[in-house]
């Protein structure tokens, strides 16, 4: 619930981390995205979350390190 008011800020933080193209930043971004997935499930907004995750996959499809981490996290 504490994350609910920060959803947009956390999405922006995850994207900022992804754009650094650094493996450690990818790990941090995936951790944030897992929390956002849990929040989406709690708020019954899983479909909207999946749409945003799909956009990330498409936009950053040429980053295998990120792609592997997302898949490994079930995202």
């Amino acid at each position: 619930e504490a994350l609910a008011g920060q959803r947009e800020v956390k999405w922006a933080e995850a994207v900022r981390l992804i754009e650094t193209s650094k493996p450690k930043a990818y790990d941090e971004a995936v951790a944030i995205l897992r929390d956002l997935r849990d929040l989406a499930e709690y708020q019954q907004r899983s479909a909207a979350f999946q749409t945003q995750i799909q956009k990330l996959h498409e936009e950053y499809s040429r980053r295998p390190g990120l792609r592997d981490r997302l898949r490994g996290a079930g995202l």
Side-chain angles (χ1 to χ4, degrees):
E1 286 184 30
L3 187 59
Q6 300 178 355
R7 184 176 63 235
E8 298 303 320
V9 171
K10 290 297 184 177
W11 268 106
E13 182 179 352
V15 170
R16 180 187 60 78
L17 288 164
I18 289 168
E19 290 186 354
T20 67
S21 299
K22 296 179 181 175
K24 185 174 179 174
Y26 287 166
D27 293 336
E28 292 176 43
V30 168
I32 291 169
L33 293 171
R34 278 195 305 254
D35 289 343
L36 289 170
R37 178 192 56 203
D38 295 345
L39 175 63
E41 289 173 3
Y42 175 76
Q43 293 180 329
Q44 299 178 342
R45 297 177 45 102
S46 294
F49 175 80
Q50 287 303 321
T51 298
Q52 289 181 285
I53 286 293
Q54 184 60 37
K55 287 179 185 177
L56 283 179
H57 278 280
E58 291 169 6
E59 188 170 344
Y60 299 105
S61 64
R62 295 179 185 240
R63 297 186 185 192
L66 174 63
R67 188 177 58 236
D68 293 345
R69 283 170 175 80
L70 290 172
R71 284 186 189 146
L75 298 170

